[in-house]
Coordinates of all heavy atoms in Angstrom, one line a residue:
E37 N 62.7 -14.2 -19.1 CA 62.9 -14.4 -20.6 C 63.2 -15.9 -20.9 O 62.8 -16.3 -21.9 CB 64.0 -13.5 -21.1 CG 64.1 -13.4 -22.5 CD 62.9 -12.7 -23.2 OE1 62.4 -11.7 -22.6 OE2 62.5 -13.1 -24.2
V44 N 66.8 -21.9 -25.3 CA 67.3 -20.6 -25.5 C 68.8 -20.6 -25.6 O 69.4 -21.2 -24.8 CB 66.9 -19.6 -24.3 CG1 67.4 -18.2 -24.6 CG2 65.4 -19.6 -24.1
F48 N 76.7 -14.4 -23.9 CA 77.3 -13.4 -23.0 C 78.4 -12.7 -23.8 O 79.3 -13.3 -24.4 CB 77.9 -14.0 -21.8 CG 76.9 -14.5 -20.8 CD1 76.3 -15.7 -20.9 CD2 76.5 -13.7 -19.8 CE1 75.3 -16.2 -20.0 CE2 75.5 -14.1 -18.9 CZ 74.9 -15.3 -19.0
S57 N 81.4 -8.9 -31.8 CA 80.9 -8.1 -32.9 C 80.8 -8.9 -34.2 O 79.9 -8.8 -34.9 CB 81.7 -6.9 -33.1 OG 81.6 -6.1 -31.9
D69 N 67.5 -19.4 -39.3 CA 67.5 -20.8 -39.8 C 66.7 -21.7 -38.8 O 66.1 -22.7 -39.3 CB 68.9 -21.4 -39.9 CG 69.7 -20.8 -41.1 OD1 69.1 -20.0 -41.9 OD2 70.9 -21.0 -41.2
F76 N 67.0 -16.8 -29.2 CA 68.3 -16.3 -29.0 C 68.2 -15.0 -28.2 O 67.4 -14.1 -28.5 CB 69.0 -16.0 -30.3 CG 69.5 -17.2 -31.1 CD1 68.6 -18.1 -31.6 CD2 70.8 -17.4 -31.4 CE1 69.0 -19.3 -32.3 CE2 71.2 -18.5 -32.1 CZ 70.3 -19.4 -32.5
V88 N 76.9 -12.8 -14.8 CA 78.3 -13.3 -15.1 C 78.7 -14.2 -13.9 O 79.2 -15.3 -14.2 CB 79.3 -12.1 -15.3 CG1 80.7 -12.6 -15.3 CG2 78.9 -11.3 -16.5
F91 N 76.5 -17.6 -13.7 CA 76.8 -18.6 -14.7 C 78.3 -18.9 -14.9 O 78.7 -19.5 -15.8 CB 76.1 -18.3 -16.0 CG 74.6 -18.3 -15.9 CD1 73.9 -17.2 -15.9 CD2 74.0 -19.5 -15.9 CE1 72.5 -17.2 -15.7 CE2 72.6 -19.6 -15.7 CZ 71.9 -18.5 -15.7
L99 N 78.7 -18.9 -25.0 CA 77.3 -19.3 -25.4 C 76.8 -20.4 -24.5 O 77.5 -21.4 -24.3 CB 77.4 -19.8 -26.9 CG 77.9 -18.8 -27.9 CD1 78.0 -19.4 -29.3 CD2 77.0 -17.6 -28.0
K110 N 77.3 -25.8 -22.7 CA 78.2 -24.6 -22.9 C 78.9 -24.8 -24.2 O 79.6 -25.8 -24.4 CB 79.2 -24.4 -21.8 CG 79.9 -23.1 -21.9 CD 80.7 -22.8 -20.6 CE 81.3 -21.4 -20.8 NZ 81.9 -21.0 -19.5
L121 N 75.8 -24.8 -35.1 CA 74.6 -25.7 -35.4 C 74.8 -27.1 -34.9 O 73.9 -27.7 -34.4 CB 74.3 -25.6 -36.9 CG 73.5 -24.4 -37.4 CD1 73.6 -24.4 -38.9 CD2 72.1 -24.4 -36.9

Side-chain angles (χ1 to χ4, degrees):
E37 196 63 43
V44 180
F48 286 87
S57 298
D69 291 349
F76 287 64
V88 170
F91 293 104
L99 302 174
K110 186 169 188 173
L121 279 169

